[in-house]
């Protein structure tokens, strides 16, 4: 064997195998969810609210409920929340923080297994972070990540998430391109993205 092709996201793997003249019987291997060491569970939640502001508020509330229930089930869990715009990363993270404060669960996002977490988050926020939104949210244990942030801030967030200092990271899809950050729970917040060509929101 001279060449091995691997993909985690290729739906038409048989077409690619045929194009590469690989035998479908002997040279093509497909691994479905039954090969996963940890079973994958998916849940879909629909929001029937039609008014944009109320729909946004409802989606934030549902997001917080899912994040908090996951962290209560296992405090060591880490969570990625994917949103569809740079602006929404900070807006969604603030909503999570505000819900936690309203419900007197402000320490929910702080890693209690690492006594130095609060000090580390505060120190990095004051001394290293350049993005104003991240500077505000990091002390609460919440991170944000999008392509409009300075590279140094994005690297800091990635490193702190890997180290377990950040338990909840709100990000855009650019995080999934070339950055490997395993998480127990992944939330995709909303299925609509703004299409500038059509001048309106469209489904994914």
């Amino acid at each position: 064997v001279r060449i091995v092709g691997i993909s985690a996201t290729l739906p038409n793997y048989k077409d690619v195998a045929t194009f590469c003249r690989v035998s479908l019987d002997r040279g093509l291997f497909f691994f479905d969810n039954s090969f996963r060491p940890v079973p994958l569970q998916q849940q879909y939640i629909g929001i029937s609210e039609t008014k944009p502001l109320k729909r946004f508020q409802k989606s934030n509330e549902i997001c917080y409920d899912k994040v908090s229930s996951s962290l209560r089930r296992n405090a060591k869990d880490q969570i990625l929340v994917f949103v569809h715009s740079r602006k929404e990363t900070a807006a969604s993270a603030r909503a999570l923080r505000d819900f936690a404060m309203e419900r007197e669960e402000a320490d929910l996002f702080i890693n209690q297994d690492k006594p130095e977490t609060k000090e580390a988050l505060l120190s990095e926020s004051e001394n290293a972070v350049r993005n104003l939104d991240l500077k505000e949210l990091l002390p609460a244990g919440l991170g944000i990540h999008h392509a409009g942030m300075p590279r140094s801030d994005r690297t800091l967030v990635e490193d702190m998430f890997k180290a377990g200092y950040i338990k909840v990271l709100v990000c855009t899809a650019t995080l999934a391109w070339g950055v490997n950050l395993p998480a127990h729970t992944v939330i995709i917040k909303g299925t609509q993205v703004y299409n500038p060509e059509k001048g309106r929101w469209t489904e994914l």
Side-chain angles (χ1 to χ4, degrees):
V1 177
R2 301 290 297 275
I3 299 173
V4 177
I6 301 174
S7 174
T9 58
L10 205 61
N12 59 332
Y13 53 92
K14 288 184 180 178
D15 295 337
V16 175
T18 301
F19 176 77
C20 294
R21 298 180 184 176
V22 172
S23 169
L24 301 184
D25 298 323
R26 293 186 299 134
L28 177 64
F29 301 91
F30 170 72
F31 303 96
D32 60 17
N33 285 338
S34 64
F35 288 86
R36 296 179 61 89
V38 179
L40 184 66
Q41 296 180 340
Q42 295 179 339
Q43 183 179 20
Y44 300 90
I45 300 174
I47 298 175
S48 57
E49 182 59 60
T50 55
K51 294 182 179 178
L53 182 58
K54 287 187 176 181
R55 187 170 64 233
F56 180 71
Q57 291 171 341
K58 187 64 177 176
S59 70
N60 282 334
E61 185 178 349
I62 292 171
C63 184
Y64 179 80
D65 289 341
K66 291 300 173 185
V67 167
S68 60
S69 65
S70 180
L71 292 177
R72 283 195 207 96
R73 190 170 52 248
N74 187 348
K76 294 182 179 179
D77 285 353
Q78 287 181 285
I79 301 169
L80 293 173
V81 180
F82 283 96
V83 296
H84 301 299
S85 72
R86 299 175 182 182
K87 187 178 179 180
E88 198 179 343
T89 57
S92 296
R94 283 193 186 96
L96 291 174
R97 179 200 61 190
D98 294 345
F99 271 118
M101 293 177 70
E102 284 174 18
R103 300 181 188 187
E104 298 182 351
E105 297 176 325
D107 285 342
L108 188 65
F109 306 129
I110 303 296
N111 190 339
Q112 304 297 336
D113 290 336
K114 291 177 178 281
E116 72 279 12
T117 296
K118 279 190 176 182
E119 186 180 339
L121 292 170
L122 191 60
S123 174
E124 294 293 352
S125 172
E126 291 176 350
N127 302 317
V129 173
R130 293 164 57 193
N131 180 278
L132 295 179
D133 292 325
L134 181 61
K135 190 181 284 286
E136 173 193 343
L137 293 162
L138 197 57
L142 292 158
I144 60 172
H145 189 291
H146 60 74
M149 294 167 57
R151 177 70 258 185
S152 59
D153 283 357
R154 281 180 283 155
T155 301
L156 174 68
V157 169
E158 293 161 16
D159 291 344
M160 294 194 82
F161 189 85
K162 288 176 187 174
Y165 291 117
I166 294 175
K167 292 175 72 173
V168 180
L169 178 54
V170 185
C171 51
T172 56
T174 52
L175 181 73
W177 300 340
V179 180
N180 184 22
L181 293 180
H184 178 275
T185 302
V186 176
I187 297 171
I188 300 174
K189 189 167 170 266
T191 59
Q192 292 185 327
V193 293
Y194 186 76
N195 186 326
E197 293 178 0
K198 296 183 178 180
R200 58 185 173 86
W201 293 85
T202 57
E203 290 290 338
L204 284 171

